[in-house]
Amino acid sequence: MEATRVGRALLRARKFLHAREEKPPATRMDLTLPALSLPLERIALVVCVLARERAPVLLEGLVDAEAGRALRHLERLAAMPSAQRQAKVAVEFGERADAANRLTALVEAAPEALRREVLRRLPPYHRSRFPQFEGEALAAKPAQALVALAERRIREATR
């Protein structure tokens, strides 16, 4: 849906600019086009992840003002460590479509201690998928390494 709106807006802008160039300077009205409300940071993020080598060239195809802003976003994103960039992609674009299936596989394959900690750390909407483990005893205070491992495995399964 967003791509359609952006495409239409760009088409209108091109037609407007072409019509402006055909008129003689004396009769031409100096109007400015409204800025497109493009999520430039998200565009730069996708281009950085999917076409890193060609990213600057692809972003230069935007309108001049937006191309400059998008290139600044690209520089910032490219300077991030890979893990941080992947986390940003996951946050921006949400959970995987198969997150529930991956969590089920994780819970079924995990050792008992890790399974308990994973179930404790899951959000309620995911925890409801595992009623068979609802009555398991909870450990008083799990080890920090186990907590970190459970949180990481949940992130990997959902993003």
Side-chain angles (χ1 to χ4, degrees):
M1 183 73 162
E2 184 69 25
T4 304
R5 277 186 267 157
V6 170
R8 287 185 194 145
L10 290 174
L11 183 62
R12 276 187 253 135
R14 283 189 196 119
K15 285 181 181 178
F16 178 79
L17 289 175
H18 184 68
R20 255 181 96 187
E21 290 172 358
E22 290 179 354
K23 292 182 182 179
T27 60
R28 183 176 56 189
M29 295 174 43
D30 289 326
L31 299 175
T32 57
L33 290 173
L36 296 175
S37 59
L38 295 175
L40 290 176
E41 185 176 16
R42 292 181 85 185
I43 291 171
L45 181 60
V46 169
V47 170
C48 181
V49 170
L50 297 179
R52 189 177 182 108
E53 299 81 27
R54 299 181 349 185
V57 174
L58 292 172
L59 292 177
E60 286 175 0
L62 295 172
V63 177
D64 290 338
E66 290 171 347
R69 285 191 5 237
L71 287 171
R72 285 191 297 277
H73 285 301
L74 177 65
E75 289 171 2
R76 185 177 50 79
L77 293 167
M80 288 180 178
S82 177
Q84 188 177 2
R85 197 170 36 252
Q86 289 174 8
K88 186 155 184 66
V89 169
V91 168
E92 288 291 325
F93 297 102
E95 280 190 353
R96 297 174 57 107
D98 62 344
N101 295 337
R102 291 169 58 97
L103 281 172
T104 301
L106 169 64
V107 169
E108 290 174 355
E112 184 178 339
L114 180 59
R115 179 177 53 235
R116 280 195 305 256
E117 195 55 36
V118 165
L119 290 170
R120 182 184 313 183
R121 303 255 171 226
L122 282 177
Y125 57 91
H126 281 306
R127 196 177 312 134
S128 65
R129 293 186 48 87
F130 308 104
Q132 69 271 25
F133 298 114
E134 196 169 307
E136 284 193 10
L138 300 175
K141 178 130 176 150
Q144 288 293 19
L146 187 62
V147 170
L149 179 60
E151 289 176 350
R152 180 177 178 168
R153 297 296 304 267
I154 291 170
R155 278 193 310 271
E156 289 173 352
T158 57
R159 296 185 176 163

